[in-house]
Amino acid sequence: MKRKLFRKVLVANRGEIAIRVMRACHELNISTVAVYSDADRDAIHTRYAGEAVHIGGAAPSESYLNLERIMKAAKDTGAEAIHPGYGFLSERLAFPEACKAAGIAFIGPPAEAMDLLGNKLASRELAKRNGVPTTPGTDAIEDVEVASRAALEIGLPVIIKPSG
């Protein structure tokens, strides 16, 4: 019989995304660990996981954004991998780096890719250089008049997004 890639995965998120990741793990017969804040003590993802670890207060900065607490939960439970879900720490370069340093697999893009793609302007330029189609847009704009002219050139409606 072929050995599973992982025996236990910690899901560093909550809600629907945590349930989706855990469901996939369950289908692969992989044990799961949920993390939760004070506000999520009785949330469905904590009941769906094989085990659950309290990581702090209700504020995300005290729990889901606290990399040290998440790493400690992974170590304490013997998780071999961490899935970040989306949002929270999923786009922080320090997350895959901390996993690598701890000998825990990070289920997501490598740190180098996160670094390269973490800035929307740099990502857009990379896509253009490699012939990937992009939506109409501009470089960074810091002036309202310039933004208004660009919006009219692109065509309304437009979406304004931060670059990083």
Side-chain angles (χ1 to χ4, degrees):
M1 186 166 108
K2 187 176 173 185
R3 183 193 179 284
K4 293 181 285 199
L5 183 59
F6 306 116
R7 287 185 291 272
K8 188 183 285 189
V9 172
L10 182 140
V11 182
N13 218 298
R14 63 182 177 190
E16 179 187 358
I17 187 60
I19 295 294
R20 287 180 181 211
V21 173
M22 289 175 196
R23 183 176 296 140
C25 287
H26 292 173
E27 288 177 9
L28 295 169
N29 200 30
I30 297 171
S31 298
T32 56
V33 178
V35 292
Y36 65 91
S37 70
D38 288 345
D40 294 322
R41 184 173 306 280
D42 297 316
I44 192 168
H45 78 280
T46 65
R47 297 189 308 268
Y48 194 75
E51 54 191 300
V53 178
H54 179 256
I55 56 168
S61 61
E62 298 173 12
S63 52
Y64 300 102
L65 291 172
N66 190 312
L67 182 56
E68 292 78 24
R69 289 183 183 170
I70 290 171
M71 296 306 299
K72 181 178 183 333
K75 282 289 198 182
D76 290 351
T77 60
E80 298 168 306
I82 298 177
H83 192 297
Y86 59 81
F88 292 130
L89 293 171
S90 68
E91 296 178 8
R92 299 241 177 112
L93 186 59
F95 201 177
E97 290 173 345
C99 288
K100 184 177 182 179
I104 297 172
F106 179 78
I107 302 173
E112 298 78 22
M114 289 174 73
D115 188 36
L116 183 63
L117 299 174
N119 180 294
K120 290 177 183 67
L121 294 173
S123 298
R124 181 181 182 79
E125 192 55 41
L126 176 66
K128 286 180 180 179
R129 279 196 316 267
N130 287 284
V132 176
T134 60
T135 57
T138 68
D139 292 332
I141 296 177
E142 297 181 18
D143 179 85
V144 174
E145 292 300 320
V146 174
S148 295
R149 284 193 303 275
L152 292 174
E153 287 174 20
I154 292 168
L156 298 172
V158 296
I159 296 173
I160 300 172
K161 297 184 78 168
S163 64

